[in-house]
Amino acid sequence: MAGTEMTEIKVAEQFTPYPFGRYPTHGPYSGQRFREEILRPAIANGDRSVVIDFTGVRSYSSSFLEEVVGGLVRAGIDPERLKNCVRIVAGSDSLLESEIIGYIEEASNHLINRHADGAVKMG
């Protein structure tokens, strides 16, 4: 049976109001930890929609955000599926959603270029 139609992740309540860093070596509330322990299971659960609610988050680093979504793309999650199934609730930060979409596209473009470079070198 597929997962529920929607999962809501309230970052400030379920993780921390101060997410920071890319890797666990940067602190206990890193992007890698959020991605692997909270977001990836929600996406893998077959949910049609995952809402990431940043309401109450006091600050976050760009490395945290990039690792969360860029890391999913690098791990093989289709960027279009990610853009279609994840919705961002940003509280007062009107630019957060576009910033996250930018990280998804950047990771996707990097993979495309890396594969293209490999094909050129092999060919």
Side-chain angles (χ1 to χ4, degrees):
M1 179 179 202
T4 61
E5 288 194 27
M6 184 185 79
T7 296
E8 184 174 19
I9 300 168
K10 295 185 176 208
V11 178
E13 294 174 20
Q14 294 173 251
F15 195 61
T16 182
Y18 301 98
F20 180 82
R22 186 175 292 276
Y23 306 116
T25 55
H26 299 148
Y29 300 107
S30 68
Q32 182 181 24
R33 183 170 164 233
F34 180 82
R35 181 187 73 233
E36 293 303 316
E37 294 178 12
I38 297 176
L39 183 56
R40 190 178 197 140
I43 291 172
N45 195 26
D47 293 333
R48 292 187 191 139
S49 177
V50 176
V51 175
I52 305 173
D53 186 347
F54 282 87
T55 303
V57 171
R58 303 286 184 235
S59 67
Y60 51 83
S61 65
S62 58
S63 60
F64 170 85
L65 295 175
E66 197 291 324
E67 187 61 31
V68 169
V69 294
L72 284 173
V73 172
R74 289 186 292 277
I77 301 293
D78 178 64
E80 291 306 312
R81 176 177 175 238
L82 193 56
K83 286 191 277 187
N84 290 328
C85 83
V86 173
R87 188 170 69 85
I88 305 300
V89 174
S92 62
D93 188 345
S94 61
L95 298 177
L96 182 61
E97 186 167 13
S98 62
E99 184 177 358
I100 288 172
I101 290 170
Y103 291 134
I104 293 169
E105 291 172 352
E106 186 177 299
S108 176
N109 290 337
H110 180 74
L111 285 177
I112 290 168
N113 291 336
R114 190 171 74 192
H115 291 302
D117 289 346
V120 169
K121 290 177 185 174
M122 295 171 74

